[in-house]
Amino acid sequence: MNKEKVVVVGMGYIGLPTSLALTNGGIDVVGYDLDARKIETLKKGQLTFKEDGLMDLFEEAKKKGISFTSNIKDLVNENFFIISVPTPYDKDSKKIDPSYVVSAFSSIYSICPEGSIIVIESTISPGTIDKTVRPLVKEKHVNLVHCPERIIPGNMVYELKHNSRTIGADDAEIGERVKKVYSSFCEGNIVITSIKVAEMTKVVENTFRDINIAYANELVKICEKAGVDVYEVIRISNAHPRVNILQPGPGVGGHCISVDPWFLVGDYPMEANLIKQARLINDSMPEYVLTRVSKVAEKNNISFDRIGIYGLTYKENVDDFRESPSLQMLEFRQQTCSKSFVSFDPMLETKIVEGQEMDFKTFLSKVDLVIVMQNHKHLLDNKNLLKGKIVFDTKNCLDIDGVYKY
Ligand code: SAJ
């Protein structure tokens, strides 16, 4: 077989690392995005988001000749595409909004030759390909494939290489061809199955994690009432050979775990009871943190205007703030009293909320009580600066005097 050439559509959190890994694995890659500014940045050799180890991958891919374009006309002769565009969801209906996938697919379909392979990596709810993508395929035959992404922000480079993958295809031969392409960089096991199973597994995996985090978060509330230390309970329980309770926190954010389970709840409302409860428990955490913090503030005579939030991203050491617990907390505060909190996040270079300070010391000068919502490395390196502050640590990451925890 000739060297495979692949177009990756969507240069976001998943599309970019995937195209770099493919290039470094020996595949000819064109990274395509509608956003001309993003493409210009990449052409200049700059990254569009922060991720450990990504720059090294980029340097290697540049040497190996990765190219980028925002002009679809450059892709007319290509026949292997990987679509990796965002799938927003409607907050009210809790349903997926497949419009980006549909529009990316339509534009590729309009230019690609008969028999092309179009892989969808974007997370989609089970049944989306049959409901919204397959009907777009008319006389010109193309091969549809679903290969859901599985990498975790913060450890993407490692996981791209080592995680196993699922390829859902209508045709086993096409599945094998796609597997070969992914094998160029993926050392994990690659399973070939149907499109529907691949769609379901992705959502099921993220739901599994959501349910397990919800269990840890529910234990926080139970242990508070019982007057026992939840971390001690979890630590001792986890010594059992078949118990592995996750870490409680301020809630669940990100565009995956806090979203995907809703697809199952939305499509299977009668069946998905545990899944729905887990979502509600995790979503209740930012408000619960505020209740706990109020008690601490009252006890220490601190006014709400002198409370600050450390950490706006959805988890530690990433710059992604989608659906983050801190934003959920700020939204709740806005709704209840039209006020914000002072906040700070070392991972963010631009202001995303009212009251956000860009300098840690300025932030600290404005607050007496710090709610630790994220355990960024920056905080662990600068914990001495918290001296004299009351701290409520929702991540159990600080071992300083007088810190309050769950
Ligand atoms: N969290 C806790 N306690 C824990 C673990 C996580 O409160 O013990 C919180 C985090 O702080 C964060 C949220 O959960 O707010 C989700 O973080 P995460 O690190 O568990 O996962 P994500 O959202 O960064 O990535 C997940 C991964 N899915 C699974 O682990 C099953 C990743 O492999 C997927 O590729 C990704 O979703 C995705 O894009 O779907």
Side-chain angles (χ1 to χ4, degrees):
M1 196 170 72
N2 292 336
K3 194 177 179 191
E4 198 79 72
K5 185 165 180 196
V6 172
V7 177
V8 180
V9 179
M11 288 292 98
Y13 287 105
I14 304 299
L16 178 62
T18 303
S19 37
L20 303 179
L22 283 165
T23 310
N24 298 344
I27 305 285
D28 261 348
V29 176
V30 182
Y32 167 72
D33 201 294
L34 279 178
D35 182 345
R37 271 178 46 199
K38 192 180 271 183
I39 292 297
E40 278 318 304
T41 308
L42 294 170
K43 278 184 172 172
K44 277 189 225 149
Q46 293 161 8
L47 287 175
T48 41
F49 64 96
K50 290 182 197 156
E51 174 68 29
D52 264 1
L54 196 60
M55 199 59 204
D56 293 340
L57 272 197
F58 198 9
E59 292 298 344
E60 192 183 336
K62 278 192 272 181
K63 281 185 205 137
K64 292 203 164 139
I66 188 168
S67 65
F68 299 101
T69 185
S70 57
N71 186 355
I72 196 154
K73 288 189 188 136
D74 292 343
L75 312 176
V76 282
N77 294 320
E78 308 308 338
N79 60 16
F80 196 128
F81 300 85
I82 296 177
I83 295 181
S84 191
V85 295
T87 36
Y89 87 118
D90 184 292
K91 275 198 176 143
D92 298 322
S93 72
K94 310 290 189 199
K95 296 229 175 199
I96 193 172
D97 166 6
S99 55
Y100 290 92
V101 172
V102 164
S103 111
F105 181 84
S106 304
S107 43
I108 295 305
Y109 184 71
S110 70
I111 55 138
C112 73
E114 172 98 25
S116 293
I117 294 179
I118 306 184
V119 182
I120 293 173
E121 270 224 23
S122 309
T123 301
I124 45 183
S125 62
T128 299
I129 292 199
D130 277 354
K131 267 184 264 165
T132 63
V133 178
R134 214 181 279 286
L136 302 169
V137 180
K138 306 289 181 207
E139 299 80 51
K140 180 168 72 184
H141 170 74
V142 292
N143 296 290
L144 294 176
V145 177
H146 182 43
C147 179
E149 60 88 5
R150 264 183 171 170
I151 51 177
I152 198 153
N155 198 25
M156 283 181 165
V157 173
Y158 176 88
E159 292 206 349
L160 254 180
K161 190 168 176 183
H162 294 98
N163 285 2
S164 56
R165 300 294 296 247
T166 317
I167 291 173
D170 295 329
D171 175 314
E173 240 174 71
I174 294 293
E176 287 298 338
R177 197 166 144 207
V178 173
K179 182 174 172 173
K180 255 192 197 142
V181 166
Y182 278 83
S183 305
S184 67
F185 67 86
C186 172
E187 292 177 7
N189 189 30
I190 303 180
V191 176
I192 299 175
T193 179
S194 67
I195 287 179
K196 270 188 164 171
V197 168
E199 287 175 322
M200 186 60 94
T201 53
K202 167 68 196 192
V203 174
V204 161
E205 288 161 14
N206 280 352
T207 302
F208 172 86
R209 194 149 168 89
D210 197 41
I211 290 171
N212 281 281
I213 299 169
Y215 182 51
N217 284 335
E218 186 155 277
L219 289 179
V220 166
K221 298 177 181 176
I222 291 173
C223 289
E224 184 202 4
K225 281 229 162 130
V228 291
D229 178 346
V230 67
Y231 298 109
E232 190 180 5
V233 169
I234 291 177
R235 194 177 63 245
I236 294 172
S237 304
N238 279 350
H240 185 288
R242 282 174 297 284
V243 175
N244 184 14
I245 302 168
L246 294 179
Q247 286 309 303
V252 168
H255 190 58
C256 316
I257 296 193
S258 71
V259 174
D260 298 359
W262 285 122
F263 301 158
L264 294 175
V265 177
D267 289 343
Y268 304 95
M270 299 303 288
E271 291 80 14
N273 300 312
L274 171 66
I275 298 170
K276 181 174 178 185
Q277 278 313 311
R279 268 295 61 243
L280 295 176
I281 291 164
N282 287 334
D283 272 355
S284 74
M285 292 311 284
E287 191 180 331
Y288 173 78
V289 173
L290 268 189
T291 319
R292 295 284 299 261
V293 167
S294 305
K295 289 181 196 159
V296 173
E298 203 173 305
K299 193 170 153 199
N300 291 280
N301 251 329
I302 291 171
S303 107
F304 257 60
D305 299 336
R306 299 282 301 170
I307 295 177
I309 294 181
Y310 178 93
L312 292 167
T313 63
Y314 87 93
K315 68 179 197 178
E316 69 278 11
N317 306 324
V318 300
D319 60 2
D320 185 345
F321 51 84
R322 290 175 297 174
E323 328 294 334
S324 92
S326 296
L327 297 190
Q328 293 174 40
M329 182 188 267
L330 288 171
E331 201 178 308
F332 174 71
R333 180 141 166 86
Q334 273 294 343
Q335 280 163 5
T336 48
C337 67
S338 310
K339 284 190 175 166
S340 198
F341 284 118
V342 183
S343 60
F344 172 75
D345 195 307
M347 299 302 295
L348 299 176
E349 279 161 13
T350 49
K351 282 197 182 189
I352 58 160
V353 288
E354 190 193 324
Q356 183 183 347
E357 290 296 335
M358 303 310 291
D359 172 70
F360 190 39
K361 287 192 179 155
T362 313
F363 163 75
L364 288 176
S365 71
K366 293 191 170 179
V367 302
D368 296 319
L369 192 161
V370 178
I371 314 174
V372 172
M373 295 290 278
Q374 275 325 328
N375 48 334
H376 294 311
K377 184 175 176 297
H378 165 272
L379 184 69
L380 309 182
D381 292 345
N382 289 284
K383 62 182 181 192
N384 57 320
L385 296 176
L386 293 172
K387 236 187 194 146
K389 305 289 174 198
I390 306 287
V391 177
F392 191 91
D393 173 10
T394 67
K395 297 294 286 186
N396 191 26
C397 63
L398 294 170
D399 53 355
I400 51 177
D401 277 351
V403 63
Y404 289 85
K405 295 188 183 185
Y406 282 146

